[in-house]
């Protein structure tokens, strides 16, 4: 069995990312690591993030500004409700929605249909401080 070696850099990125349930850009995460005294190059941070997305540990999502942000998420299929101010995200599911989507797709003769639904708004905390 070949298991990819988890480098300390990847572990550091994973831990920094797991600290908050927010979507954060590679640059922001890089800054956070530097502040906490972990000297990682931005390229290393990008590579570790890509690895985490490939292994399914993290979700990558382009924000309204089209910048990619990352978050440690559950393995289950889910959608996100994201604060456009602070990046706080909630995972959600809509009862019956998945079945309706499949029914709709097959009605038009489509198969292997995938979807992603992300909602952007202002979270309660950010709404209060505004
Ligand atoms: Zn997610
Ligand atoms: Zn917020
Ligand atoms: Zn869904």
């Amino acid at each position: 069995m070949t298991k990819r070696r988890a480098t300390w850099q990847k572990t550091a990125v994973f831990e920094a990312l797991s600290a908050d349930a927010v979507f954060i850009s590679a640059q922001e995460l890089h800054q956070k690591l530097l502040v906490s005294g972990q000297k990682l190059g931005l390229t290393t941070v990008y590579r570790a993030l890509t690895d985490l997305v490939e292994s399914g540990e993290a979700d990558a999502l382009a924000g309204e500004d089209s910048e990619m942000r990352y978050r440690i998420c559950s393995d289950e299929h889910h959608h996100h409700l994201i604060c456009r101010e602070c990046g706080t995200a909630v995972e959600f599911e809509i009862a019956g929605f998945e079945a309706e989507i499949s029914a709709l797709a097959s009605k038009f003769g489509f198969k292997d249909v995938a979807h992603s639904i992300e909602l952007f708004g202002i979270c309660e905390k950010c709404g209060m401080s505004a």
Side-chain angles (χ1 to χ4, degrees):
M1 218 174 97
T2 51
K3 194 168 181 281
R4 209 190 320 207
R5 197 166 52 99
T7 59
W8 72 266
Q9 287 97 335
K10 195 182 162 187
T11 307
V13 167
F14 179 83
E15 277 168 9
L17 200 59
S18 329
D20 301 294
V22 302
F23 272 99
I24 187 169
S25 71
Q27 282 91 340
E28 287 163 343
L29 193 69
H30 182 230
Q31 271 308 312
K32 214 174 133 176
L33 285 159
L34 288 183
V35 167
S36 70
Q38 287 167 300
K39 292 193 176 63
L40 274 79
L42 184 56
T43 322
T44 310
V45 173
Y46 268 116
R47 203 179 307 132
L49 286 170
T50 308
D51 279 358
L52 288 170
V53 172
E54 276 172 9
S55 64
E57 288 162 278
D59 276 358
L61 179 74
E64 288 177 319
D65 55 4
S66 74
E67 181 164 11
M68 288 306 283
R69 291 189 175 79
Y70 306 83
R71 180 182 187 266
I72 300 294
C73 283
S74 70
D75 285 346
E76 309 274 297
H77 173 81
H78 59 270
H79 305 136
H80 305 110
L81 177 59
I82 308 130
C83 176
R84 60 169 74 89
E85 288 292 322
C86 68
T88 291
V90 181
E91 297 179 16
F92 70 89
E93 260 304 345
I94 310 161
F97 177 77
E98 306 297 324
E100 266 186 58
I101 287 284
S102 320
L104 179 97
S106 54
K107 189 175 128 190
F108 290 101
F110 279 62
K111 39 184 182 182
D112 288 332
V113 171
H115 65 268
S116 91
I117 293 165
E118 322 298 349
L119 303 178
F120 291 91
I122 304 291
C123 77
E124 201 176 6
K125 215 172 102 207
C126 292
M128 285 195 304
S129 60

